[in-house]
Amino acid sequence: MQTVSLGASDLRVTPICLGTMTFGEQVAELDAHAIMDRAIERGVTFFDTAEMYSVPPRAETFGATETIIGRWLAARPGMRQKIVLASKVAGPSRGMPWVRKGQGMTAADIEASCHASLKRLQTDVIDLYQIHWPERHVPAFGSLYYNPAQETSRTPIREQLEALARLVKAGKVRYIGLSNETPYGVHEFVRLAEQHGLPRIVSTQNPYCLISRGYDNALDETCHRLQVGLLAYSPLGFGLLTGKYDATGFHGPDAARGRMSLFERMKSQRWGRDSALAAARRYNQLARDHGLTPTQLALAFCYRSWRVASTIIGVTTMAQLEEDLDAWSVQLSDELLAACDAIRAEMRDPAN
């Protein structure tokens, strides 16, 4: 698999990235190790994790995913040099006091979190270190509107950049990025970095899939013009775009075994909306009408988009990994892409 440059940097990554947030919850450690081994065999050398993982987040599994990856690396001498390893510092608490106390995300928090991640990952450096969600109070994870009355920001962006700069200077981090960001946030991080000689972000990791295309309205232009790469997460819409929930929905004894049926808290989030499932069913049928599986359509939509630098796939089984990687060969016709746009025009972005 050919690599691509991430943003304006010289960091080269594979256009498919293995997401690991299920490791330590839905995926046991030995299975996770086997999945990572197979990803390497198939040519995927870009892995993404976070201090908060595994998901759904719990105090008992905080840091579990990084620990699993660290033990995998330790057991495979030389493997660390073969992969690009990305992780994230969690933003303000959002009801997870086990991540950190208080509401903010200070410069000291960023540095302490990085050092803890390095220890769990058993590595000296993180190739791409990202802010998991903004320190500012912005719409994210399904909330739709910015409300200045709810603003709780305590750490200016410049101060966050300066903390990240210290990590880069110390050799703990190679490149920096954002996640769940807005056009304003991307612009401001780039502007301040250029103005003050601080590290420039190379990427933002945001949701991007057929039922959540908010990125297509302004943030795509922002990132294109500023040369910031998109790491597209949830390309399968938390499983809705695989078709496994089409017949049964998320409830009842016959519901497919996936995180939307296994974890009650997931059903109350954006992916659990009736409108999201209704739209997913439309896209899934469109795929079948064109001789594709729903998974093939959903992944090819991301894999072949000019907007996407790398698509993050998350799996719980080896079979899912193989299916997701095999979809790399799928090409979508202009007619099929136009049909996707027509569904979006009618049903909009129900999982934004």
Side-chain angles (χ1 to χ4, degrees):
M1 186 174 292
Q2 297 295 315
T3 58
V4 299
S5 294
L6 192 53
S9 76
D10 59 0
L11 180 62
R12 304 285 299 184
V13 300
T14 48
I16 299 178
C17 173
L18 181 65
T20 61
M21 73 178 189
T22 60
F23 296 176
E25 181 65 61
Q26 290 176 269
V27 182
E29 182 163 344
L30 290 179
D31 293 330
H33 288 186
I35 286 170
M36 289 186 282
D37 286 339
R38 183 56 178 159
I40 292 291
E41 291 173 0
R42 292 289 304 265
V44 174
T45 57
F46 185 20
F47 292 3
D48 178 73
T49 189
E51 67 170 340
M52 186 190 78
Y53 295 163
S54 56
V55 168
R58 296 185 294 125
E60 295 80 5
T61 57
F62 172 70
T65 303
E66 289 184 327
T67 299
I68 288 170
I69 295 172
R71 288 198 279 252
W72 177 76
L73 288 171
R76 291 156 179 78
M79 182 61 74
R80 179 64 187 90
Q81 288 69 44
K82 297 179 181 179
I83 69 169
V84 173
L85 183 58
S87 193
K88 311 180 200 73
V89 52
S93 176
R94 288 185 176 269
M96 294 180 288
W98 58 86
V99 176
R100 70 174 60 93
K101 303 298 183 182
Q103 296 298 311
M105 181 189 66
T106 66
D109 290 331
I110 294 172
E111 295 179 71
S113 286
C114 182
H115 291 143
S117 288
L118 288 166
K119 183 176 181 180
R120 286 188 292 266
L121 290 165
Q122 300 193 47
T123 186
D124 295 327
V125 62
I126 295 170
D127 297 307
L128 176 64
Y129 198 50
Q130 306 150 99
I131 296 175
H132 205 153
W133 56 87
E135 191 270 349
R136 313 177 320 279
H137 195 285
V138 302
F141 304 108
S143 61
L144 293 176
Y145 301 108
Y146 172 65
N147 182 352
Q150 295 178 331
E151 187 57 77
T152 57
S153 178
R154 301 177 183 181
T155 308
I157 288 175
R158 179 177 173 182
E159 190 174 328
Q160 296 171 52
L161 275 170
E162 288 170 342
L164 293 167
R166 287 190 288 273
L167 293 169
V168 172
K169 185 176 181 180
K172 305 295 185 182
V173 168
R174 293 179 63 205
Y175 298 91
I176 64 170
L178 306 173
S179 185
N180 297 293
E181 258 298 356
T182 68
Y184 167 81
V186 171
H187 266 284
E188 195 67 357
F189 269 90
V190 170
R191 182 185 73 82
L192 289 169
E194 293 179 343
Q195 181 178 343
H196 299 287
L198 297 167
R200 196 182 193 275
I201 59 167
V202 302
S203 61
T204 186
Q205 184 177 145
N206 276 48
Y208 191 64
C209 66
L210 287 168
I211 57 174
S212 182
R213 291 174 59 182
Y215 181 88
D216 286 348
N217 296 102
L219 190 50
D220 57 349
E221 181 187 7
T222 293
C223 289
H224 173 69
R225 294 189 183 278
L226 296 178
Q227 294 182 279
V228 173
L230 170 63
L231 305 180
Y233 79 75
S234 293
L236 293 174
F238 262 49
L240 275 69
L241 292 167
T242 67
K244 64 185 175 185
Y245 299 113
D246 282 5
T248 62
F250 310 134
H251 306 279
D254 297 325
R257 288 186 62 79
R259 67 180 72 110
M260 292 301 299
S261 56
L262 292 173
F263 304 114
E264 191 64 35
R265 65 179 294 177
M266 297 294 185
K267 299 171 190 174
S268 63
Q269 298 179 3
R270 54 185 160 165
W271 309 106
R273 296 169 184 160
D274 291 341
S275 56
L277 182 56
R281 284 169 168 154
R282 288 281 299 278
Y283 288 112
N284 296 342
Q285 188 57 50
L286 178 67
R288 299 180 187 105
D289 292 344
H290 284 77
L292 300 173
T293 67
T295 296
Q296 287 175 322
L297 172 61
L299 289 177
F301 175 79
C302 290
Y303 288 166
R304 302 305 171 188
S305 173
W306 65 264
R307 296 170 172 86
V308 178
S310 187
T311 301
I312 302 174
I313 58 170
V315 303
T316 57
T317 67
M318 196 71 76
Q320 289 177 352
L321 177 67
E322 302 289 1
E323 181 182 17
D324 289 0
L325 297 181
D326 288 346
W328 176 252
S329 64
V330 175
Q331 301 283 343
L332 303 182
S333 67
D334 291 341
E335 173 193 5
L336 185 48
L337 289 171
C340 290
D341 286 343
I343 294 175
R344 186 191 186 213
E346 177 186 346
M347 307 191 79
R348 305 311 299 168
D349 299 306
N352 274 356

